[in-house]
Amino acid sequence: MIALLLTLFACETETACTEMAAASLTLTLRSAGGTALVDPVVTYAVDGVDRGECTSFEAGSYTCGYEEQGHFVVTASATGFDTGTVEATT
């Protein structure tokens, strides 16, 4: 089982969005035992349009898009685990 934890971000003003690249959605990806997975594939779509892979800057932490809004569908897969999918609207 893959556990996906989401953190949603949205800009409150247009000015805030133009001054920095705000992550649209971040998630933590861990096994049921709490350990980071080895080489998972984490992809996302917004409003039904595939956007590609999420970016990882540290083990188990992923950013999916920057300054995008809409209905996100994130899918994570890793060898030896069932594929996990979560949905969120920002």
Side-chain angles (χ1 to χ4, degrees), residues 6-45:
L6 295 177
T7 305
L8 304 177
F9 296 93
C11 296
E12 293 183 21
T13 66
E14 186 173 331
T15 302
C17 287
T18 59
E19 293 176 358
M20 63 180 235
S24 298
L25 182 140
T26 61
L27 63 95
T28 302
L29 180 61
R30 302 270 186 226
S31 70
T35 59
L37 302 179
V38 176
D39 297 325
V41 176
V42 183
T43 59
Y44 76 107

Side-chain angles (χ1 to χ4, degrees), residues 43-53 68 73 75:
T43 59
Y44 76 107
V46 180
D47 295 331
V49 178
D50 289 333
R51 297 290 191 194
E53 290 192 29
E68 295 182 77
V73 177
T75 303

Side-chain angles (χ1 to χ4, degrees), residues 55-85:
T55 305
S56 178
F57 297 105
E58 63 182 78
S61 180
Y62 295 84
T63 298
C64 303
Y66 292 90
E67 298 187 11
E68 295 182 77
Q69 294 182 344
H71 182 78
F72 283 71
V73 177
V74 179
T75 303
S77 61
T79 302
F81 293 89
D82 293 335
T83 297
T85 301

